[in-house]
Amino acid sequence: MHLDEDQVQRLLHGELSPPAERSAREHIAGCDDCRRRLSAAEREENEVHALLRVVDYAPPEIRAETITARAQAADPAARARDAAWPRLAAGFLLVVGIAGVAYAVPGSPVRAWVHEIVQRMGVRPEPSGASRGPGGSPAVSGIAVLPERRLLILFKSDQAEGGARVSLTDDPEVRVEAPVGAATFASGADRLLIDNEGSSATFEIRIPRSATWVEIRVGGDRVFLKDGSRVTTTGSMSVGGYVLRLTPPGS
Amino acid sequence: MEPDGTPSFHERFVDLFDAHFQRIYRYLHRLSGERELAADAAQEAFVRLYRRGSLPDSPEAWLISVAMNLLRNAASTQRRRLRLLTPARGENVLSDPPPSPEQAMDAEDTRRQVRAALDRMPDRERRMLLLRAEGYSYRDIATALRLNEGSVGVLLARARRAFREIYKETFGAP
């Protein structure tokens, strides 16, 4: 059994698994035909790469520091926030951990203090989607995926209030964001599932311009489709994108 | 370095930049034939990665995708201005020794021929060929071009064949 074209290519490019490569090399050693095909592929590739080098010019002399300085100059607030975030998260987890241990130790007075504080405050659950981040701004949660050829974004439920804002971006990922607690997100091979039951949030959806096919459905109804560069939607256009109601069309 | 001994985001970014900036620039330049656009798009892709604040699962594929989008957008903007411009001439490959006038003409001819052959290739095959020429793995190529990884080998062979045939038909044997 001769090597097929894919095996020859993978052997040439070092893309076979070690056992598959061993097996392919054993075969090549005893098969003139496959050995010739591998040599021919290698020779052709070398010729092509030599030709490609002809069009090259020396790359610009850019250093990583130049890029990081540009990034910080362009968005210093975001960079400072990004740099601080891991430390803040680590500190928060440490505090939560210590408090948890103190609460769990048998005979700890912390447990009684917590109960007393809770009773005095009369704590009630937060309304759906109303979680707040530091500084009073809504904290967001979401999901990001690299779209394959087709991607379906599926909202499980329709919403009487809120909706979705869709924008097209140069980033490679599809991103869906909403206030924390407004929905739960899951992703499959070709779909994003958003469980938004009971939510009244507005979802921010960013779709790469390069994405070939992205559909947004509410239940079984299509409310948005990007097919290549063509967009059709039941929503309306706004500055920077589209505004969708998460209700079935015509309702 | 982070407290647990792992490299910080900044250190990982610098490593990534050092390993990939030139490759991505070269890829974009071969793809478009536009040095300025390629340099701008490659830099901007890294700026965006740094501003992102964390590395994606496949940083190489992410960078290629973002850089290609930036290049495409910049190219479409520039196309509208191109009618007012004339092609750049007399540029030298900096890594070569100074050529004689005859050698320079030959090199320029070959460059134009290779460029023309690349421009005549189907877009997907051209991108595959150029990404592989920069040594990107089948996985990175598949992710960046949204292909099934299992089909990359055969498609690469087809792309290489297409380039050679176009070049040969138009300009004779490579």
Side-chain angles (χ1 to χ4, degrees):
Chain A
M1 187 80 159
H2 291 302
L3 300 181
D4 63 24
E5 185 157 38
D6 183 60
Q7 287 172 306
V8 171
Q9 293 306 312
R10 286 178 181 271
L11 186 59
L12 176 65
H13 295 142
E15 290 274 352
L16 286 172
S17 65
E21 178 168 349
R22 239 186 339 268
S23 162
R25 291 211 179 277
E26 280 169 13
H27 173 80
I28 289 269
C31 177
D32 290 344
D33 187 33
C34 288
R35 198 164 48 243
R36 262 197 301 275
R37 286 168 58 216
L38 180 65
S39 298
E42 192 169 10
R43 193 176 56 249
E44 287 170 5
E45 180 152 279
N46 288 340
E47 283 173 5
V48 169
H49 288 184
L51 279 173
L52 292 177
R53 280 194 290 276
V54 172
V55 301
D56 289 343
Y57 294 95
E61 297 280 336
I62 305 286
R63 294 165 55 88
E65 290 75 17
T66 312
I67 299 295
T68 57
R70 260 186 67 187
Q72 283 163 336
D75 193 2
R79 190 66 211 124
R81 183 191 61 225
D82 290 343
W85 186 86
R87 289 181 183 83
L88 289 174
F92 176 74
L93 288 174
L94 186 65
V95 169
V96 169
I98 291 170
V101 169
Y103 185 89
V105 170
S108 164
V110 173
R111 193 186 299 247
W113 298 342
V114 170
H115 283 234
E116 190 180 330
I117 291 168
V118 168
Q119 279 178 350
R120 282 189 187 175
M121 291 176 69
V123 173
R124 290 185 178 83
E126 285 272 314
S128 171
S131 176
R132 299 259 148 197
S137 59
V140 296
S141 63
I143 192 166
V145 295
L146 276 172
E148 302 290 334
R149 285 193 166 282
R150 296 167 80 92
L151 179 72
L152 170 64
I153 300 172
L154 181 61
F155 285 89
K156 187 177 168 190
S157 310
D158 56 320
Q159 290 184 199
E161 294 176 48
R165 277 194 293 266
V166 180
S167 54
L168 302 181
T169 72
D170 292 324
D171 290 337
E173 295 166 319
V174 169
R175 299 176 79 90
V176 181
E177 292 179 346
V180 169
T184 57
F185 302 89
S187 70
D190 58 356
R191 61 189 55 207
L192 282 181
L193 301 175
I194 302 168
D195 187 348
N196 60 327
E197 192 168 4
S199 176
S200 58
T202 297
F203 293 77
E204 296 288 344
I205 303 175
R206 291 178 206 141
I207 298 174
R209 285 189 180 84
S210 58
T212 49
W213 197 94
V214 178
E215 180 182 17
I216 302 174
R217 283 179 174 267
V218 180
D221 299 302
R222 175 189 290 170
V223 293
F224 179 93
L225 174 65
K226 178 184 180 302
D227 183 0
S229 58
R230 190 162 153 262
V231 170
T232 49
T233 177
T234 58
S236 56
M237 282 190 77
S238 74
V239 178
Y242 305 86
V243 176
L244 311 183
R245 292 180 63 209
L246 298 180
T247 52
S251 64
Chain B
M1 192 80 77
E2 298 293 343
D4 64 358
T6 57
S8 66
F9 166 71
H10 181 84
E11 289 166 326
R12 293 168 69 200
F13 175 85
V14 171
D15 288 346
L16 198 68
F17 180 87
D18 290 344
H20 290 280
F21 176 74
Q22 295 198 2
R23 295 166 79 186
I24 289 177
Y25 162 77
R26 206 161 35 231
Y27 164 69
L28 296 175
H29 173 244
R30 287 175 175 178
L31 190 65
S32 66
E34 302 281 351
R35 295 166 69 184
E36 293 297 324
L37 285 186
D40 287 349
Q43 288 178 62
E44 182 60 23
F46 278 96
V47 166
R48 291 189 183 199
L49 179 62
Y50 195 75
R51 281 165 56 185
R52 193 178 190 273
S54 63
L55 296 185
D57 289 342
S58 176
E60 294 87 356
W62 191 96
L63 281 165
I64 294 163
S65 297
V66 171
M68 283 195 307
N69 289 342
L70 290 165
L71 183 78
R72 192 190 55 229
N73 292 345
S76 67
T77 305
Q78 200 198 41
R79 259 196 297 276
R80 292 194 283 273
R81 301 198 305 258
L82 270 183
R83 273 167 284 168
L84 302 172
L85 306 175
T86 53
R89 288 183 185 279
E91 295 162 317
N92 295 319
V93 178
L94 298 183
S95 55
D96 287 350
S100 68
E102 293 77 18
Q103 284 174 325
M105 279 184 67
D106 285 348
E108 192 54 42
D109 282 348
T110 310
R111 186 175 299 136
R112 260 200 297 272
Q113 290 167 358
V114 173
R115 181 79 263 145
L118 282 172
D119 289 344
R120 286 181 56 194
M121 287 181 77
D123 194 43
R124 185 179 71 175
E125 293 183 352
R126 179 171 62 230
R127 288 171 186 226
M128 294 192 77
L129 185 77
L130 296 180
L131 284 173
R132 182 59 219 172
E134 286 306 320
Y136 283 103
S137 69
Y138 283 21
R139 188 176 182 188
D140 285 337
I141 293 172
T143 308
L145 301 183
R146 299 196 179 102
L147 298 168
N148 180 346
E149 190 182 337
S151 62
V152 169
V154 171
L155 291 173
L156 269 174
R158 200 177 296 164
R160 195 171 59 229
R161 212 174 296 133
F163 175 80
R164 293 182 86 245
E165 280 169 10
I166 291 169
Y167 191 90
K168 194 173 168 186
E169 276 170 20
T170 318
F171 307 109

